[in-house]
Amino acid sequence: GLAFIDDPRAVECLFTTSKHPEPRMRAAAMRALGSGRGDLRVSSHLLRGLGDEDGWVRYYACQSLGKLGFAPAAEAIAGLLDDPAGQVRVAAVEALAQLSGAGAREHLERAARSAEPDVQRAALLGLGLSRRPEHLGVLTAAARGPDAATRLVAVSALSGFSAPEVLDALDRAAH
């Protein structure tokens, strides 16, 4: 609730908590910082959270930076696409999907070609949400892929587009 209190002491408390020795406290602070205003001090604390030793702190820092739309974090977030914690990899993909800029889109496309199914599927959903025509090739290729669950996600992502190749991909999926 501190993120919603319009008093400088509330956000200062979150900054202090983001350095707490207990990982669960740091994770809660990272999550809360993404719910409030997105000034540079908040972004700075969240960026530091991307390098935390605890996976859940990194997870919430990614989510918060994505929610705040802090595009300068794209490279740092993309660095977590190979994180040892699975939830962090997926959070990185979800955050990149919310960021503007060519760098975020390039990293998201790379994730959509990932060998890891959860990362690939999250990236395909992110590409579908963007509804950018340049992503149609990646999405239609995934809709023809060997894995049924991934094809289903790709088809779902394609449903938001209106282009001739989408109709072909949906027709193939139906058959």
Side-chain angles (χ1 to χ4, degrees):
L2 286 172
F4 302 109
I5 297 174
D6 190 22
D7 184 322
R9 293 175 297 174
V11 76
E12 289 299 327
C13 182
L14 290 174
F15 292 156
T16 300
T17 305
S18 75
K19 301 171 193 167
H20 196 278
E22 175 61 40
R24 291 176 70 178
M25 295 295 288
R26 293 192 310 274
M30 294 296 153
R31 184 176 184 193
L33 287 170
S35 300
R37 65 178 189 263
D39 63 32
L40 287 177
R41 290 179 61 214
V42 168
S43 300
S44 174
H45 279 79
L46 291 171
L47 283 168
R48 192 177 66 251
L50 295 178
D52 196 274
E53 66 187 31
D54 184 75
W56 288 105
V57 175
R58 295 189 307 276
Y59 170 85
Y60 285 117
C62 272
Q63 275 199 335
S64 292
L65 285 163
K67 189 187 297 187
L68 294 174
F70 189 65
E75 287 300 317
I77 291 170
L80 296 177
L81 289 171
D82 298 317
D83 194 271
Q87 77 271 24
V88 175
R89 293 189 300 271
V90 172
V93 168
E94 292 171 352
L96 288 169
Q98 296 177 60
L99 300 180
S100 61
R105 289 191 300 273
E106 288 172 16
H107 290 299
L108 195 56
E109 280 198 16
R110 181 173 61 100
R113 294 182 183 96
S114 172
E116 184 180 348
D118 289 339
V119 169
Q120 182 186 28
R121 292 175 194 142
L124 291 170
L125 288 173
L127 292 175
L129 291 173
S130 76
R131 294 197 171 127
R132 297 180 67 89
E134 60 265 29
H135 299 312
L136 283 173
V138 174
L139 291 168
T140 56
R144 293 187 306 269
D147 181 67
T150 302
R151 285 194 312 269
L152 181 62
V153 169
V155 167
S156 175
L158 282 167
S159 68
F161 289 83
S162 58
E165 55 266 43
V166 172
L167 186 56
D168 292 340
L170 296 176
D171 183 54
R172 272 193 309 279
H175 291 93

